[in-house]
Amino acid sequence: MKETISAPMPGVFYRRSDPDTPAFVEEGDNVSAGDVVCLVGVMKNFYEVTAESDGTVSKILVDNESEIEAGDPLMEIEVE
């Protein structure tokens, strides 16, 4: 079963917390409920987006630093 993680608010999608750090997740990574999978930047504030279930990241749907709207699908998780 797939679960889609959607943007909680409009802003900018970030896959990493800093340009010099690795991405929070890559396709194929296993995640647990509560793991941070990306950030949404709004007005110089950053909000963590977390996985709601345990599973595997099957697809990242948005490019890093893309503008997003509330409700946009960000990534798909194959739920265990």
Side-chain angles (χ1 to χ4, degrees):
M1 180 172 103
K2 286 189 180 179
E3 178 180 289
T4 301
I5 297 177
S6 301
M9 63 193 75
V12 178
F13 173 80
Y14 292 99
R15 293 190 56 208
R16 51 185 53 94
S17 61
D18 184 277
D20 297 327
T21 61
F24 290 107
V25 294
E26 298 286 349
E27 291 180 0
D29 285 353
N30 292 320
V31 294
S32 298
D35 285 353
V36 176
V37 295
C38 64
L39 299 175
V40 175
V42 181
M43 305 283 291
K44 297 185 180 180
N45 291 306
F46 297 92
Y47 299 91
E48 295 179 340
V49 178
T50 59
E52 294 181 8
S53 306
D54 296 349
T56 303
V57 177
S58 58
K59 191 165 188 177
I60 297 172
L61 304 168
V62 181
D63 291 330
N64 190 47
E65 299 185 20
S66 295
E67 290 189 24
I68 55 174
E69 297 294 328
D72 282 356
L74 303 176
M75 60 185 67
E76 293 176 346
I77 306 289
E78 190 69 39
V79 177
E80 296 176 350

